[in-house]
Amino acid sequence: MTPGLHRIAGITSVLVGIAVAAWLVFGSPHDWEGGMRWLRHGLALASLAVISCGARLMFPDKQESTSDMVSR
């Protein structure tokens, strides 16, 4: 993928993760009880993972500079 597509996918992922997290904090899941409460916690963790992966897509870690230092 080109860097532009990586950035677009990353921005989209971060926005979706933030939207799901905001819905969980401010939306209707506050009255979920029992097993649905665990679903809410799972969705919260998944939204954090989506935000983290989106940040990695936007700002990829370049390993080229570290491999040059090791080979010398």
Side-chain angles (χ1 to χ4, degrees):
M1 274 170 54
T2 63
L5 288 176
H6 273 275
R7 292 233 166 96
I8 290 172
I11 291 170
T12 305
S13 298
V14 168
L15 290 177
V16 166
I18 290 172
V20 170
W23 177 69
L24 289 171
V25 170
F26 300 115
S28 64
H30 287 288
D31 57 349
W32 289 359
E33 297 292 329
M36 292 300 285
R37 182 183 70 189
W38 292 108
L39 176 67
R40 184 181 70 195
H41 292 303
L43 284 172
L45 288 174
S47 68
L48 289 175
V50 167
I51 292 170
S52 174
C53 290
R56 287 181 185 260
L57 280 173
M58 282 191 295
F59 306 109
D61 187 20
K62 301 286 185 184
Q63 295 295 330
E64 299 159 356
S65 61
T66 58
S67 65
D68 288 338
M69 297 299 287
V70 172
S71 66
R72 290 184 182 182

